[in-house]
Amino acid sequence: MRLSVRDPHARSAGSRAAVRLFIGRGTPVTLRASQPSFLSPHPPTALLHIVPRTSTLLSLPAFSATLTSRRLAAQSQHRPFSSSTHRPWIWENIAEMAAEPTPEPNSQALRKYLQQSHDKIFESNKKWAEEQKVKNPEFFEKLSKGQEPDYLWIGCSDSRIPAEAITGLGPGEMFIHRNIANLVCNTDLNVMSVVNYAVRHLHVKHIVVCGHYGCGGVKAAMTPQDLGLLNPWLRNIRDVYRLHEQELDAIEGDKKYDRLVELNVLEQCRNVVKTAAVQGSYKKNGFPIVHGWVFGFQDGRLKDLEINFEKMLEDVQKIYNLTE
Amino acid sequence: MSDALDRIVAGNRVYAQRTSEHDPNTFVEMGRGQAPEILWIGCADSRVPETTICHCKPGDIFVHRNIANCVHADDLNVAAVVEYAVAHLKVKKVVICGHTKCGGANASLADADLGVTLNTWLHPVRELRRKHKAELEQLADDDARATRVAELNVQQGIEVVKQHPTVRQAVRDRGLTVHGLIYDIPAGQLRLLDDTRATGGSGLWTPANH
């Protein structure tokens, strides 16, 4: 059983936020918000009705319950492509939880709820760990001996793109750095340490820089506004714009942002190629190879920007050669 | 080598297909925005993928991962992540997660030359080791010492995060909380770090404390 929550923040006024419940392989049930307050940026509570698409497949009783959309979201601990044995246990109690009214602010009941929702993460993690051990008794023992990931992933901090989940990889397979708008700045000790460690100590074979369409960081960078501490970080994206000003200025609307997302990935790939670690390792070992990808929310697919790595390296080394 | 790459490209196809099969609206909804409640600052280590080990789904956790989950006060990268997550996404909790068997913590037990980049990055962690030399020497082996260094480093990170101006304001105005975790790789389990000063010694976070 699983659940999805449409983001109430992004919905237009007048439309209704909806929550869908999935029970086993049965037909989804839709919960709809019946109060406009659900549409406010930080919805307090919403009265939800269960609207069964077909009633015969449902084991849930028909009921109305007051819930916060956030609370539902917080409780939907599932992996999108998990097997049935992987089904989150907490959903077994959804009917019970949904029937409870939202506790009053500062009440004893609220404290209890906060404690329980906090403890759930730990119980959920414990359950996951036990499942792994059943599937493979040596799983954690093997992991504790060390890591030998083939990939370094440099991606955006955005919560919707957990690298291992969208590539179907498990623990131990991908070394990961994530920051605002997947930037690789040559004076940033943080990302430079990651590249250094991944290349020189873990000997990764591939480095993937992955951006995504609709990136909030890229949009923020193009906003004519003082964003305080974010200014110097996002300045790097404005520099990418300036480098490709002609091409970008010829594009209208959202497509312009999409292209800036792609060009930003390409520039960050170049920045990875500029490092001594990558140049040195490639000369000596023939790896790592650098790739530029973009994740699209429309279909959940990765788009390969098809960088010609050798050509990029050659071009970069005309000026940034660090191998001699 | 291309096998390794084919694997994740194929893995992504499976992910996209299965997700759409479960709910054709998933990606449409995802495209509308994110509202994560948690900012996770963790280690880049491949064995600690936050979404998997917390049994969460895309959209749940905003993530920054670096070598040894360090939060250095002068690091613009992590500062930008914290600023964006706290001021703009308004996450409710900031979590700093260290782990056992951490290569960075282990390297910080000694002063081997890792090259100027990593030496500089790990310098504050090595300083922590020096500061807690007496305590660390009491421990049974390097494994235990590395775990203790990882804990100290998480606590140090919490101190730095709490000084971030936006975090201070969010703690004051809307009850944002900051937590330390240690992920035990051999056990596959998360442990909440005992922050004695914040909780009066009980270790576990309780709503009464906030």
Side-chain angles (χ1 to χ4, degrees), chain A residues 114-228:
Chain A
L114 287 174
Q115 182 70 58
Q116 283 172 345
S117 55
H118 169 269
D119 294 348
K120 275 199 177 81
I121 294 272
F122 285 88
E123 288 165 36
S124 190
N125 164 248
K126 199 171 158 210
K127 178 107 178 165
W128 173 80
E130 279 161 9
E131 279 175 13
Q132 301 309 310
K133 273 189 226 166
V134 170
K135 272 194 257 176
N136 178 3
E138 279 113 51
F139 183 75
F140 291 114
E141 195 187 322
K142 195 171 159 241
L143 277 186
S144 72
K145 284 184 183 142
Q147 59 172 335
E148 287 177 42
D150 273 339
Y151 320 93
L152 163 62
W153 175 279
I154 298 172
C156 186
S157 288
D158 194 301
S159 61
R160 294 165 292 179
I161 314 150
E164 81 285 358
I166 65 157
T167 51
L169 293 181
E173 298 189 294
M174 188 183 261
F175 200 66
I176 296 175
H177 176 73
R178 290 167 62 182
N179 65 37
I180 302 291
N182 40 270
L183 297 181
V184 181
C185 316
N186 72 342
T187 52
D188 175 21
L189 196 60
N190 189 328
V191 72
M192 286 300 142
S193 296
V194 171
V195 171
N196 207 297
Y197 190 80
V199 173
R200 292 197 163 141
H201 296 265
L202 298 173
H203 310 291
V204 295
K205 307 298 182 292
H206 301 276
I207 299 178
V208 174
V209 177
C210 186
H212 65 101
Y213 297 116
C215 180
V218 170
K219 284 210 168 129
M222 299 319 295
T223 310
Q225 197 186 334
D226 180 357
L227 294 170

Side-chain angles (χ1 to χ4, degrees), chain A residues 53 64 226 238 244 310 317:
Chain A
R53 292 251 181 95
S64 305
D226 180 357
R238 293 184 199 263
H244 302 274
E310 284 181 11
Q317 284 185 332

Side-chain angles (χ1 to χ4, degrees), chain A residues 2 10 20 77-78 125 140 143 147 151 157 159-160 164 172-174 177-178 188 190 206 297 302, chain B residues 1 4 7 12 22-23 27 30 32 34 44 46-47 52 56-57 59 63-66 75 77 186 190:
Chain A
R2 66 197 185 85
R20 301 177 84 203
Q77 310 295 325
H78 87 286
N125 164 248
F140 291 114
L143 277 186
Q147 59 172 335
Y151 320 93
S157 288
S159 61
R160 294 165 292 179
E164 81 285 358
E173 298 189 294
M174 188 183 261
H177 176 73
R178 290 167 62 182
D188 175 21
N190 189 328
H206 301 276
F297 292 121
L302 291 164
Chain B
M1 226 158 61
R7 201 171 145 218
N12 171 245
H22 273 292
D23 177 5
F27 292 119
M30 248 194 224
R32 291 194 172 118
Q34 61 173 333
S46 60
R47 296 165 296 174
T52 302
C56 285
K57 65 179 199 316
V63 179
H64 175 72
R65 290 170 61 180
N66 66 38
D75 177 21
N77 188 329
L190 283 171

Side-chain angles (χ1 to χ4, degrees), chain A residues 95-109:
Chain A
E96 189 192 319
M97 293 194 294
E100 291 165 12
T102 302
E104 292 298 315
N106 295 318
S107 65
Q108 194 63 38

Side-chain angles (χ1 to χ4, degrees), chain A:
Chain A
M1 179 168 164
R2 66 197 185 85
L3 172 141
S4 65
V5 180
R6 292 187 191 164
D7 180 13
H9 299 212
R11 292 185 68 82
S12 59
S15 64
R16 284 180 158 193
V19 176
R20 301 177 84 203
L21 278 176
F22 293 76
I23 304 153
R25 294 180 188 280
T27 310
V29 189
T30 303
L31 301 169
R32 286 191 189 286
S34 61
Q35 285 182 348
S37 64
F38 194 78
L39 303 168
S40 68
H42 300 288
T45 57
L47 191 64
L48 300 171
H49 305 296
I50 286 195
V51 186
R53 292 251 181 95
T54 58
S55 56
T56 50
L57 289 166
L58 298 172
S59 56
L60 274 177
F63 60 87
S64 305
T66 306
L67 284 174
T68 66
S69 63
R70 286 286 204 149
R71 179 177 157 199
L72 278 170
Q75 288 164 351
S76 61
Q77 310 295 325
H78 87 286
R79 298 194 64 201
F81 55 101
S82 57
S83 64
S84 56
T85 54
H86 214 87
R87 192 173 299 141
W89 65 280
I90 58 170
W91 286 115
E92 287 153 23
N93 298 323
I94 182 65
E96 189 192 319
M97 293 194 294
E100 291 165 12
T102 302
E104 292 298 315
N106 295 318
S107 65
Q108 194 63 38
L110 177 68
R111 286 209 193 131
K112 193 178 163 206
Y113 169 71
L114 287 174
Q115 182 70 58
Q116 283 172 345
S117 55
H118 169 269
D119 294 348
K120 275 199 177 81
I121 294 272
F122 285 88
E123 288 165 36
S124 190
N125 164 248
K126 199 171 158 210
K127 178 107 178 165
W128 173 80
E130 279 161 9
E131 279 175 13
Q132 301 309 310
K133 273 189 226 166
V134 170
K135 272 194 257 176
N136 178 3
E138 279 113 51
F139 183 75
F140 291 114
E141 195 187 322
K142 195 171 159 241
L143 277 186
S144 72
K145 284 184 183 142
Q147 59 172 335
E148 287 177 42
D150 273 339
Y151 320 93
L152 163 62
W153 175 279
I154 298 172
C156 186
S157 288
D158 194 301
S159 61
R160 294 165 292 179
I161 314 150
E164 81 285 358
I166 65 157
T167 51
L169 293 181
E173 298 189 294
M174 188 183 261
F175 200 66
I176 296 175
H177 176 73
R178 290 167 62 182
N179 65 37
I180 302 291
N182 40 270
L183 297 181
V184 181
C185 316
N186 72 342
T187 52
D188 175 21
L189 196 60
N190 189 328
V191 72
M192 286 300 142
S193 296
V194 171
V195 171
N196 207 297
Y197 190 80
V199 173
R200 292 197 163 141
H201 296 265
L202 298 173
H203 310 291
V204 295
K205 307 298 182 292
H206 301 276
I207 299 178
V208 174
V209 177
C210 186
H212 65 101
Y213 297 116
C215 180
V218 170
K219 284 210 168 129
M222 299 319 295
T223 310
Q225 197 186 334
D226 180 357
L227 294 170
L229 209 150
L230 285 167
N231 292 339
W233 187 256
L234 297 178
R235 234 287 302 279
N236 295 289
I237 303 171
R238 293 184 199 263
D239 290 344
V240 173
Y241 188 105
R242 188 167 51 81
L243 277 171
H244 302 274
E245 199 173 347
Q246 261 189 325
E247 180 187 344
L248 287 165
D249 282 349
I251 308 171
E252 294 292 327
D254 278 352
K255 290 250 181 300
K256 186 174 185 160
Y257 287 114
D258 288 351
R259 184 61 186 149
L260 181 54
V261 164
E262 293 175 358
L263 290 169
N264 181 46
V265 167
L266 292 174
E267 284 305 325
Q268 305 319 318
C269 287
R270 253 178 218 118
N271 288 343
V272 173
V273 173
K274 285 174 196 168
T275 62
V278 169
Q279 289 185 25
S281 173
Y282 188 76
K283 188 176 180 183
K284 188 176 160 210
N285 307 311
F287 61 80
I289 313 293
V290 178
H291 311 271
W293 296 350
V294 181
F295 182 77
F297 292 121
Q298 299 84 352
D299 54 2
R301 294 279 291 267
L302 291 164
K303 177 181 170 182
D304 188 352
L305 296 178
E306 293 176 4
I307 286 170
N308 182 337
F309 173 68
E310 284 181 11
K311 173 83 169 45
M312 183 180 268
L313 181 68
E314 194 188 315
D315 290 350
V316 161
Q317 284 185 332
K318 179 177 173 251
I319 297 169
Y320 304 88
N321 189 355
L322 304 176
T323 58
E324 283 167 19

Side-chain angles (χ1 to χ4, degrees), chain B residues 129-210:
Chain B
R129 179 205 80 213
R130 280 187 268 276
K131 199 172 146 193
H132 295 269
K133 187 165 175 268
E135 183 198 341
L136 292 167
E137 278 172 354
Q138 305 282 315
L139 297 172
D141 52 25
D142 276 356
D143 231 26
R145 279 186 273 276
T147 301
R148 183 62 189 139
V149 166
E151 288 175 3
L152 291 166
N153 189 36
V154 167
Q155 269 159 354
Q156 174 69 24
I158 290 173
E159 294 304 315
V160 174
V161 164
K162 282 183 171 169
Q163 293 306 314
H164 191 291
T166 307
V167 171
R168 285 168 76 159
Q169 197 186 339
V171 167
R172 208 171 48 234
D173 295 352
R174 58 182 182 86
L176 174 84
T177 51
V178 184
H179 309 271
L181 295 172
I182 292 288
Y183 177 70
D184 185 345
I185 288 184
Q189 293 199 11
L190 283 171
R191 171 164 63 85
L192 200 63
L193 207 58
D194 189 354
D195 182 354
T196 45
R197 266 172 301 176
T199 62
S202 75
L204 275 176
W205 173 83
T206 64
N209 297 322
H210 296 266

